[in-house]
């Protein structure tokens, strides 16, 4: 009798758990995001359709947020015009969208310093939503909370231009 109750209770708990979990992959049916603007100084990111702001977000940046990125490991977020060029649904930072850094100019600037430019710059979520992070904690990426990243991930397509301003 006890065994039967245990099995029934376990099955019920598993069923309820499955019902309550929501997917991190959302569906977006609104206007296309045609451009992303990041204003580093204001710590804001804007998703635009033409000249209309669809959504805006508070962001965290690289741990050395002032100035352009010049080489790998400098902790800065790049400045300039790039493209969203890849998606990572299994990111260690929840979800992530790749930014096409480095471009030719970035590679030349790093080479002039005798250093590699680095790479793997993303818009991403948090590594752990329960761990309190200090402001500007990334190695050069743009970070938003996981729930907001789910919206961004669903709205932004590969090929979307992104302008990162000082």
């Amino acid at each position: 009798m006890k065994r039967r109750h245990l099995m029934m209770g376990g099955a019920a708990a598993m069923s309820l758990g499955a019902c309550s979990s929501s997917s991190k992959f959302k569906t977006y049916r609104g206007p296309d995001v045609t451009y992303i603007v990041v204003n580093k100084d204001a710590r804001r990111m804007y998703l635009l359709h033409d000249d209309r702001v669809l959504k805006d977000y508070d962001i965290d940046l690289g741990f050395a947020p002032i100035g352009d990125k010049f080489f790998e490991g400098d902790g800065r977020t790049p400045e300039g015009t790039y493209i969203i060029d890849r998606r990572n649904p299994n990111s260690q930072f929840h979800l992530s969208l790749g930014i096409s850094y480095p471009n030719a100019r970035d590679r030349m600037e790093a080479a002039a310093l005798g250093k590699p430019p680095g790479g793997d710059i993303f818009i991403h979520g948090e590594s752990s939503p329960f761990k309190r992070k200090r402001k500007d904690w990334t190695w050069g990426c743009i970070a938003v909370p996981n729930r907001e990243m789910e919206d961004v991930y669903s709205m932004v397509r590969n090929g979307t231009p992104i302008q990162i301003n000082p």
Side-chain angles (χ1 to χ4, degrees):
M1 187 72 136
K2 285 185 180 183
R3 185 175 189 192
R4 181 173 176 230
H5 286 273
L6 268 171
M7 289 177 69
M8 297 288 281
M14 287 174 59
S15 296
L16 287 174
C19 291
S20 67
S21 67
S22 61
S23 174
K24 65 182 179 179
F25 301 107
K26 295 184 177 181
T27 302
Y28 174 70
R29 299 191 198 297
D32 289 343
V33 173
T34 57
Y35 209 73
I36 302 169
V37 174
V38 172
N39 292 332
K40 289 172 49 175
D41 188 46
R43 303 298 190 282
R44 298 292 289 173
M45 178 172 67
Y46 302 89
L47 306 185
L48 293 100
H49 174 76
D50 297 327
D51 61 349
R52 190 176 106 226
V53 174
L54 299 173
K55 295 281 266 185
D56 60 303
Y57 302 94
D58 290 325
I59 58 171
D60 286 322
L61 300 169
F63 63 82
I66 306 298
D68 193 7
K69 181 167 197 62
F70 286 110
F71 56 87
E72 183 175 38
D74 66 5
R76 293 185 176 152
T77 303
E79 297 171 358
T81 303
Y82 301 94
I83 299 291
I84 299 301
D85 65 354
R86 61 201 181 279
R87 310 169 78 71
N88 186 353
N90 300 312
S91 170
Q92 70 180 22
F93 298 99
H94 193 57
L95 295 167
S96 61
L97 298 172
I99 297 172
S100 63
Y101 175 89
N103 61 27
R105 182 197 62 150
D106 298 320
R107 285 190 289 279
M108 284 182 10
E109 289 173 345
L113 297 170
K115 300 193 177 221
D120 287 339
I121 301 296
F122 288 87
I123 301 170
H124 62 66
E126 306 154 305
S127 61
S128 170
F130 304 109
K131 187 160 70 170
R132 181 138 173 98
K133 294 208 173 7
R134 63 181 169 82
K135 193 88 172 137
D136 298 328
W137 56 272
T138 78
W139 281 87
C141 295
I142 299 162
V144 295
N146 288 348
R147 287 190 182 210
E148 293 177 2
M149 188 61 215
E150 292 171 4
D151 292 335
V152 173
Y153 194 86
S154 72
M155 294 174 74
V156 175
R157 300 285 162 242
N158 286 4
T160 303
I162 178 170
Q163 174 65 44
I164 305 172
N165 300 317

